[in-house]
Amino acid sequence: MNNGEDWGEETYALAERAIGYAFQDKSLLKTCFTHRSYTNFCKEPNNERLEFLGDAVLGFCVTENLFRNDSSDEGKLTELRKQYVSKTALSRAEERAGLMRFLRYSGGKSNVNGKTASNLFEAVVAGIYLDGGMAEVRKFLDRFLSVTQTENHKTLLQEFVQERTKTTPVYRVEERNGGYCCRVSALGKKADGFGESKKAAETEAAKKLFAKLNKELKK
């Protein structure tokens, strides 16, 4: 939605269905989806303050989830948290929910590039928190933001790399000794993994390179 278009009853219902939560305060729901550029057409509040709050609420929820479900040390948990609340991770979560189609903005689509999707996700987190409390936030995050004890090492590696460069990890797999050997390269570093399947080999290589890059970062 853009250029002064306002929400009708159907839009409220569709937005709530996408989120999976029915707001008591409908004006708060609309504010979650009001980009700062939209103030060119109205004097309604935009979602920037909600982004600020949502960032903190999201950080707490992810931190608590990792603390309860992952026995890693503080350094590893800190790096995992960075990956789960990164722009890439939140943009993917927004895409799963399909929230951007409800964004109220003005001007061309160039006004809503960059961090708009991840910021929108944070704003919605804040809106749910203010309207329904932390329990509803957790339900929302469980639905769209994956934070589990079982790590997807390929995803973690890709998000780590994409936070620092526009490139993605490069995987090369070949059969060897009745299994598969994979070499993955990213950020000038390499790591090898071996497995009975291509997927297992790629996962092992990604795990090793992710650990190596984290170690280099701390030097």
Side-chain angles (χ1 to χ4, degrees):
M1 304 186 67
N2 63 2
N3 296 326
E5 295 179 36
D6 204 352
W7 280 18
E9 290 186 11
E10 182 180 3
T11 305
Y12 281 101
L14 290 173
E16 289 180 329
R17 187 180 304 168
I19 294 169
Y21 171 74
F23 276 69
Q24 300 179 60
D25 184 349
K26 304 301 183 185
S27 64
L28 177 59
L29 171 63
K30 187 163 69 171
T31 300
C32 291
F33 289 90
T34 303
H35 189 260
R36 63 183 178 183
S37 65
Y38 195 83
T39 55
N40 294 331
F41 290 91
C42 68
K43 295 183 179 180
E44 298 175 29
N46 61 51
N47 63 12
E48 287 189 331
R49 282 172 52 82
L50 288 173
E51 292 168 18
F52 170 75
L53 176 60
D55 178 67
V57 174
L58 180 64
F60 173 78
C61 286
V62 170
T63 300
E64 181 187 38
N65 193 304
L66 289 171
F67 179 83
R68 292 182 182 278
N69 296 301
D70 194 304
S71 59
S72 300
D73 60 27
E74 180 186 3
K76 179 65 176 299
L77 292 177
T78 298
E79 188 57 44
L80 285 173
R81 179 175 59 192
K82 288 180 182 178
Q83 301 308 311
Y84 287 125
V85 301
S86 69
K87 171 188 169 184
T88 301
L90 298 187
S91 294
R92 287 178 177 172
E94 176 281 316
E95 187 175 359
R96 291 187 194 104
L99 303 178
M100 282 288 285
R101 59 194 165 122
F102 303 111
L103 187 69
R104 306 165 77 219
Y105 69 96
S106 66
K109 290 190 176 180
S110 61
N111 285 348
V112 291
N113 288 334
K115 295 183 65 176
T116 302
S118 57
N119 289 344
L120 174 58
F121 191 83
E122 290 176 338
V124 170
V125 166
I128 295 172
Y129 171 72
L130 292 173
D131 193 76
M134 193 66 81
E136 294 297 337
V137 170
R138 291 191 181 98
K139 291 178 185 178
F140 175 71
L141 295 180
D142 286 345
R143 190 176 298 114
F144 298 113
L145 184 67
S146 299
V147 183
T148 63
Q149 186 174 2
T150 303
E151 298 172 22
N152 184 332
H153 294 285
K154 290 184 67 175
T155 299
L156 289 174
L157 176 62
Q158 180 168 315
E159 292 180 350
F160 182 96
V161 172
Q162 289 184 330
E163 283 291 297
R164 293 158 177 81
T165 177
K166 293 182 180 180
T167 62
T168 57
V170 177
Y171 293 85
R172 299 188 184 281
V173 183
E174 61 181 38
E175 291 188 58
R176 185 181 299 177
N177 300 326
Y180 293 88
C181 183
C182 173
R183 170 164 290 183
V184 60
S185 307
L187 301 179
K189 302 293 181 181
K190 299 177 181 179
D192 295 328
F194 184 82
E196 294 182 356
S197 67
K198 290 182 179 180
K199 182 177 180 181
E202 289 175 344
T203 298
E204 180 66 18
K207 180 179 180 179
K208 289 181 178 179
L209 184 55
F210 181 63
K212 181 183 292 187
L213 291 173
N214 270 302
K215 185 176 180 180
E216 291 290 328
L217 186 67
K218 293 175 183 178
K219 288 183 177 179

